[in-house]
Amino acid sequence: MYFTQLPDHTKPGFNEQLHFSRFQNQNIIFNAWSKQAGCDNHVGCLSFKTVLAGEECYGIGGRQIAVRPGQFLILNDDQPYSCRIHKNTSARILSLFFKKEFAREVFADTTRGDAASIDDPDPAGKDSIEFFQTLYPVEPELQRQLNSFLLHLDIQDYNGDATDEYFIFFLRHLIRTHRSQLTHAARVNALKPVTRREIFKRLCIAKDLLQSSYGEPLDLRTIAKAACLSTPQLVRQFRAAFNTTPHRYLVNLRLDHAARLLKTSTLPVLEIAGQCGFEDPSAFCRAFKTAHGLQPERYRKHQ
């Protein structure tokens, strides 16, 4: 099914049970502009969440994750969550919901190989993956496929078979992303695999906090507390998993966002520095020149 509007859960007569029952029976696409939309309590199927403009905030397990352009979020089967577009803002969201049997068939084909698939061509329901529910970057190949998919939706009538072909690609990309995350998790310093996985989940919470709140004052103690790690453990394990420290990761996030604002807006440099979490404009200019080779104003002129 294909929707170009988000449902209004507050509308009189809205049948919430009927609406949510659809997610179990078919692949679903939401491709919509919306203002102040949201859902306070949803338990969905495996889904891919991204935004093409603006920002959408998801609540998972007591934490808030802001999804912005160039990022995506994976939510697992039966994961309770909330979602919200902030008041007085708008966002263009793209959400893909994967029918459970469809996803498991793709997972089986991808992970078992052709020989096993020939012996058992109907493996639906036997294979499943628990993804790390964290923010991921939209890499170039995924961006190309998303652009192609959106163009297909814009110029052609919705077609289930054509959509399923795209959904197969997206699920295979999720598997590759998951394998990459397992590589990062394996770098965590712990003896037992279950301990490494749990610590990595907590490191992802820290990383998502940095991604979602880079414009706010953040210190190591606050980040460590959110991730349920000690401050020394956070720094040590974050560096092991991601090859950088939390502070350096945060600074790079702020500088990257500043570069985007310099390219796409006419905001004064001082305002950009403040929005990106830099309290000292001089420190911002020095850090920006170190990262990009030019002072902010000269960088803007060269774009």
Side-chain angles (χ1 to χ4, degrees):
M1 297 185 70
Y2 179 41
F3 297 92
T4 56
Q5 290 184 328
L6 298 182
D8 183 356
H9 295 260
T10 65
K11 185 177 180 179
F14 178 76
N15 190 328
E16 192 159 323
Q17 183 176 2
L18 174 62
H19 172 70
F20 288 144
S21 69
R22 296 167 174 165
F23 293 79
Q24 305 300 323
N25 301 319
Q26 53 204 306
N27 294 328
I28 292 178
I29 307 161
F30 283 94
N31 174 25
W33 277 99
S34 185
K35 293 183 178 180
Q36 303 181 31
C39 175
D40 292 327
N41 185 22
H42 180 35
V43 179
C45 55
L46 176 68
S47 56
F48 169 99
K49 313 287 191 181
T50 191
V51 298
L52 308 175
E55 176 182 304
E56 186 172 25
C57 189
Y58 286 85
I60 307 172
R63 61 192 175 106
Q64 298 294 311
I65 301 177
V67 183
R68 303 184 178 101
Q71 301 171 323
F72 70 91
L73 175 68
I74 304 172
L75 296 182
N76 287 311
D77 280 317
D78 304 321
Q79 171 63 57
Y81 69 91
S82 64
C83 57
R84 184 71 53 190
I85 296 171
H86 293 300
K87 188 176 181 180
N88 299 323
T89 67
S90 64
R92 183 183 175 188
I93 65 98
L94 177 65
S95 290
L96 311 179
F97 295 85
F98 303 96
K99 180 182 174 182
K100 186 175 294 187
E101 290 78 10
F102 179 90
R104 288 182 173 177
E105 188 173 2
V106 177
F107 295 159
D109 175 69
T110 305
T111 59
R112 298 190 313 156
D114 287 333
S117 296
I118 290 174
D119 293 336
D120 184 8
D122 188 21
K126 299 180 182 179
D127 297 85
S128 184
I129 295 175
E130 181 185 354
F131 292 92
F132 295 104
Q133 299 183 133
T134 184
L135 288 170
Y136 301 92
V138 176
E139 297 174 346
E141 177 57 25
L142 176 59
Q143 187 63 64
R144 285 192 289 271
Q145 289 293 331
L146 287 172
N147 291 343
S148 175
F149 180 53
L150 292 167
L151 181 62
H152 164 77
L153 293 174
D154 286 342
I155 66 176
Q156 298 185 33
D157 291 334
Y158 171 77
N159 180 282
D161 288 339
T163 298
D164 284 354
E165 290 179 355
Y166 279 104
F167 270 44
I168 289 170
F169 169 85
F170 294 136
L171 284 168
R172 289 176 64 87
H173 183 85
L174 297 191
I175 293 171
R176 291 192 296 272
T177 300
H178 182 65
R179 288 171 175 167
S180 175
Q181 291 295 98
L182 291 176
T183 300
H184 288 290
R187 298 173 184 164
V188 170
N189 295 314
L191 293 177
K192 297 180 179 179
V194 65
T195 305
R196 287 197 294 270
R197 189 179 182 92
E198 176 59 31
I199 291 175
F200 185 72
K201 286 182 179 180
R202 299 185 187 194
L203 293 174
C204 287
I205 291 174
K207 182 167 64 68
D208 289 339
L209 175 61
L210 295 172
Q211 290 269 11
S212 298
S213 306
Y214 60 80
E216 302 173 11
L218 288 172
D219 56 56
L220 289 174
R221 189 176 297 277
T222 301
I223 301 165
K225 183 178 180 180
C228 296
L229 296 168
S230 70
T231 300
Q233 189 180 26
L234 168 70
V235 174
R236 174 170 54 85
Q237 298 286 21
F238 198 98
R239 185 169 186 173
F242 302 122
N243 292 321
T244 188
T245 65
H247 176 70
R248 175 45 51 190
Y249 188 84
L250 176 60
V251 170
N252 287 339
L253 283 174
R254 289 171 168 172
L255 292 172
D256 287 346
H257 187 61
R260 286 194 293 272
L261 289 177
L262 288 167
K263 289 180 182 178
T264 61
S265 78
T266 59
L267 292 173
V269 170
L270 289 179
E271 188 171 342
I272 289 175
Q275 282 194 18
C276 296
F278 289 94
E279 296 180 359
D280 183 348
S282 297
F284 163 66
C285 291
R286 290 194 299 271
F288 193 91
K289 184 176 180 181
T290 299
H292 295 280
L294 294 170
Q295 291 285 356
E297 287 287 8
R298 292 194 64 190
Y299 180 88
R300 169 175 273 167
K301 291 177 181 178
H302 282 76
Q303 301 309 305

